[in-house]
């Protein structure tokens, strides 16, 4: 595995200047900001990620005001009370995307958020305080305790709310493959640990957040 220097040099060469590179890179939210996000906004973003999976994002986003309405602004205390009959009625609402499995995920994830609020004080505290040197552990936690949060859904959700994370997109995986780290999307705990270790080393060498390293790595793949 090469150290961070090659990645920085490649990206500087591609963008032409340090300023152009920095303008391309995301910035993670502070722990204070993550803790300030309300439970309903976390649930809304989680549901948005679930419904975006496999669909054109602009289509889902255009319908989101209707989702906010039918799910009571994603108030977990209200959403968790939505039973099977209520969800079946939503299947007749043409304003939203009528996918029963994804609709069912919303009250289930509302219950996860309420459970975490009871044990951690707030869902935002769990997200904010989770160490980034084990961000894959947070992916697995959300996938295990949530619904339809496996695969890329957990890391993409975390990126959407601002939690620092890398995302194993096809470009990132291709770049990791070129570095002989993994040759496929890291789904096993072993492969996830390997990738986490590499990002931790680059983070220590560079001082950059994981999200920036992830974006830089994706830029090394030629299309």
């Amino acid at each position: 595995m090469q150290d961070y220097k090659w990645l920085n040099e490649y990206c500087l060469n591609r963008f032409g200047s340090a300023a152009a590179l920095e303008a391309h890179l995301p910035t993670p939210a502070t722990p204070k900001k993550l803790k300030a996000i309300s439970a309903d906004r976390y649930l809304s973003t989680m549901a948005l990620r679930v419904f975006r999976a496999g669909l054109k994002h602009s289509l889902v986003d255009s319908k989101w005001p209707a989702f906010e309405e039918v799910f009571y602004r994603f108030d977990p205390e209200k959403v968790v009370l939505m039973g099977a009959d209520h969800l079946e009625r939503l299947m007749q609402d043409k304003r939203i995307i009528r996918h029963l499995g994804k609709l069912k995920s919303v009250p289930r994830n509302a219950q996860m958020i309420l459970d975490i609020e009871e044990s951690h004080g707030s869902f935002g505290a769990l997200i904010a305080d989770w160490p980034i040197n084990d961000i894959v552990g947070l992916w697995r936690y959300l996938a295990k305790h949530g619904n339809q949060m496996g695969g890329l859904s957990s890391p993409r959700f975390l990126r959407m709310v601002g939690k620092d994370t890398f995302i194993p997109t096809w470009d990132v995986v291709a770049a990791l493959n070129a570095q002989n780290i993994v040759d496929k999307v890291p789904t096993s705990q072993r492969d996830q640990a390997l990738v986490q270790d590499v990002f931790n080393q680059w983070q220590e060498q560079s001082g950059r957040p994981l999200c920036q390293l992830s974006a830089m790595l994706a830029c090394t793949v030629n299309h």
Side-chain angles (χ1 to χ4, degrees), residues 13-204:
N13 183 62
R14 173 165 179 173
F15 285 92
S17 70
L21 171 59
E22 295 302 325
H24 174 76
L25 300 177
T27 301
T30 64
K32 181 179 180 180
K33 184 174 181 179
L34 290 169
K35 290 179 180 179
I37 298 173
S38 59
D40 61 288
R41 292 306 88 200
Y42 273 117
L43 181 58
S44 176
T45 305
M46 192 177 297
L48 178 61
R49 169 53 210 164
V50 169
F51 276 91
R52 276 182 174 181
L55 295 174
K56 191 174 181 179
H57 290 187
S58 60
L59 169 65
V60 181
D61 294 352
S62 69
K63 293 179 177 291
W64 210 246
F67 274 92
E68 289 279 350
E69 180 181 337
V70 302
F71 280 108
Y72 308 112
R73 300 294 171 189
F74 291 96
D75 180 338
E77 295 280 1
K78 295 179 180 178
V79 172
V80 77
L81 299 176
M82 298 173 71
D85 290 345
H86 193 142
L87 296 176
E88 287 290 350
R89 288 195 296 273
L90 290 184
M91 286 292 290
Q92 311 305 317
D93 193 330
K94 295 181 179 180
R95 298 175 300 161
I96 65 174
I97 295 167
R98 293 171 290 173
H99 184 295
L100 186 57
K102 292 184 177 184
L103 289 171
K104 286 180 177 179
S105 75
V106 184
R108 291 171 180 172
N109 286 330
Q111 185 62 63
M112 173 185 68
I113 287 175
L114 292 175
D115 290 344
I116 289 171
E117 297 236 307
E118 184 175 350
S119 60
H120 289 80
S122 76
F123 186 76
L126 174 81
I127 299 299
D129 294 339
W130 198 286
I132 62 169
N133 62 3
D134 180 37
I135 200 64
V136 296
L138 183 53
W139 300 356
R140 291 194 294 269
Y141 183 95
L142 293 174
K144 178 181 179 181
H145 296 280
N147 187 259
Q148 300 219 17
M149 290 299 292
L152 292 182
S153 285
S154 285
R156 287 197 182 279
F157 159 71
L158 293 173
R159 177 68 62 82
M160 289 166 71
V161 298
K163 176 68 174 179
D164 190 19
T165 184
F166 60 89
I167 302 178
T169 62
W170 289 112
D171 284 350
V172 169
V173 172
L176 292 170
N177 186 20
Q179 297 299 313
N180 298 313
I181 298 166
V182 290
D183 58 4
K184 61 183 184 299
V185 176
T187 55
S188 69
Q189 288 195 29
R190 175 185 175 277
D191 284 350
Q192 288 179 357
L194 285 173
V195 177
Q196 177 80 70
D197 185 57
V198 169
F199 272 92
N200 288 348
Q201 291 180 52
W202 287 339
Q203 197 279 328
E204 184 176 352

